[in-house]
Amino acid sequence: MRTVRAVAELRAALAPARRERVAIGLVPTMGALHEGHLALIRRAREQCDLVVVSVFVNPAQFNERSDLERYPRRESDDAALAAAAGAELLFAPPVEEVYPAGFATAVEVIGITDRLEGATRGSGHFRGVTTVVTKLLCMAMPDIAYFGQKDAQQTVVVRRLVQDLNLPVRIEVCPTVREADGLAMSSRNALLDPDQRSRARSLFDALEAARGLAARGERSSEALVDAALQTLGSFGVDPDYVALVDPETLEPLEQLAGRALLAIAARIGDVRLIDNTILEPTPASTSSQKALQGEAIATCNA
Ligand code: AMP
């Protein structure tokens, strides 16, 4: 696998594939690769002839300087892991390559970026994400780009961006990959100390508490959110938000009447983690059966 750092080098490396019209897959990441990223790369490997992984810790999407500074960086490990998962090219540009002197453009998705992560991290966060994703798509011009459900709002925002700007790329979203106790894999997990790590499972447990309640027939958003809050509270975790929202518009929901996104963000110590799950209402007649299934899922993930 080759590592390239300049956009011109990336384009030159992709030119033969483009001439031969083979499918190019792009997996955008900020590095410190883990199984969540590798699942995206493997999916890309299955669906595309050539897989590019980008590793770029994008300063524009960080709202806290300390978070940017201590974000884990392990490029040589990343190269080996990406290659083993089937990537041909690692694109690891320096900041000046992505944001050269005089850079003055931003790409912004309006509305859905104000909610959840946008409300907590500020409008600059998603502007940073959408600007860099647009740039990466223009740089690599992939046929398919791969994103993780772990960042649920990001997937909604990126789909909107691609649709609104008529970008010629298909967006694939892959399921969240979790640790044995349910904690969603994240590069930031490496920053947790042992006590914080044991409390970090509270996000998944909170999602499962709400799922269990929904499976028993509960439809009130307030009750479902409350179940999640109580679980977080039992771990001493005070979240930035727990919200039940429409999975497309991200508008808050009063009732669980169809597919809904339950999203959580919380700080464990000074490490900010996010997680989410999709809930669906259970028809009353099958609620007890589904409740048992919900518990079985929880046991498998425990
Ligand atoms: P990041 O490096 O955190 O910016 O993530 C790069 C991509 O990997 C994003 O599309 C994430 O949603 C995805 N990703 C991160 N963690 C996971 C996970 N645990 N499971 C699935 N996808 C993930």
Side-chain angles (χ1 to χ4, degrees), residues 28-30 34 36-37 40 71 147-148 150-151 154 175-177 185:
T29 82
M30 297 204 298
H34 51 64
H37 299 116
L40 302 186
Y71 198 85
F147 293 85
K150 199 204 83 152
D151 296 273
Q154 175 171 277
T176 302
V177 178
M185 291 198 181

Side-chain angles (χ1 to χ4, degrees), residues 2 8 29 35 84 95 104 111 117 122 129 139 150 154-155 164 174-175 187 210 229-230 237 244 268 298 302:
R2 253 181 87 195
T29 82
E35 277 300 318
V95 172
E117 287 299 278
V129 170
M139 289 166 178
K150 199 204 83 152
Q154 175 171 277
T155 67
D164 289 356
C174 300
S187 305
L229 286 171
Q230 277 187 28
V237 173
L244 189 75
I268 311 287

Side-chain angles (χ1 to χ4, degrees), residues 4 26 43 56 96 110 113 127 143 177 200 218 249 285-286:
V4 292
L26 173 68
R43 173 79 71 89
F56 179 62
E96 318 78 74
I110 313 285
T113 52
R127 193 163 54 237
D143 297 279
V177 178
E218 181 61 67
T249 64
S285 56
T286 58

Side-chain angles (χ1 to χ4, degrees), residues 24-267:
I24 298 171
L26 173 68
V27 182
T29 82
M30 297 204 298
L33 299 186
H34 51 64
E35 277 300 318
H37 299 116
L38 301 182
L40 302 186
I41 299 171
R42 291 190 198 108
R43 173 79 71 89
R45 173 74 284 156
E46 285 163 23
Q47 298 182 336
C48 301
D49 303 295
L50 195 159
V51 177
V52 185
V53 175
S54 62
V55 170
F56 179 62
V57 182
N58 176 32
Q61 73 189 68
F62 282 79
N63 51 311
E64 284 176 22
R65 199 181 171 80
S66 60
D67 188 25
L68 172 63
E69 279 166 3
R70 69 200 173 126
Y71 198 85
R73 289 167 171 85
R74 308 190 205 114
E75 194 193 296
S76 56
D77 291 354
D78 290 345
L81 289 166
E88 277 85 3
L89 268 180
L90 189 80
F91 176 50
V95 172
E96 318 78 74
E97 183 69 9
V98 179
Y99 302 114
F103 184 85
T105 300
V107 178
E108 192 164 7
V109 171
I110 313 285
I112 49 175
T113 52
D114 294 339
R115 311 201 173 104
L116 305 177
E117 287 299 278
T120 318
R121 301 185 66 175
S123 59
H125 168 63
F126 277 116
R127 193 163 54 237
V129 170
T130 45
T131 301
V132 86
V133 168
T134 306
K135 283 181 66 86
L136 290 168
L137 293 174
C138 291
M139 289 166 178
M141 292 193 282
D143 297 279
I144 312 179
Y146 295 83
F147 293 85
Q149 175 64 21
K150 199 204 83 152
D151 296 273
Q153 186 176 13
Q154 175 171 277
T155 67
V156 174
V157 170
V158 168
R159 282 192 195 282
R160 186 80 257 160
L161 165 81
V162 163
Q163 196 176 332
D164 289 356
L165 296 185
N166 305 99
L167 299 179
V169 62
R170 189 172 107 205
I171 301 299
E172 280 274 316
V173 176
C174 300
T176 302
V177 178
R178 300 178 178 282
E179 301 284 358
D181 67 353
L183 173 65
M185 291 198 181
S186 163
S187 305
R188 289 188 177 88
N189 293 352
L191 303 172
L192 297 166
D193 69 24
D195 172 60
Q196 292 166 342
R197 171 63 188 83
S198 64
R199 291 196 300 130
R201 68 170 296 165
S202 59
L203 278 79
F204 175 73
D205 286 3
L207 295 172
E208 285 300 298
R211 174 190 300 291
L213 199 56
R216 292 193 291 278
E218 181 61 67
R219 295 195 174 199
S220 147
S221 171
E222 198 183 334
L224 295 167
V225 166
D226 210 51
L229 286 171
Q230 277 187 28
T231 303
L232 290 165
S234 71
F235 284 86
V237 173
D238 179 22
D240 285 349
Y241 60 78
V242 175
L244 189 75
V245 300
D246 181 288
E248 310 299 329
T249 64
L250 307 178
E251 298 268 12
L253 295 173
E254 300 255 308
Q255 289 288 316
L256 181 63
R259 271 169 59 82
L261 176 73
L262 182 65
I264 296 182
R267 276 175 194 275

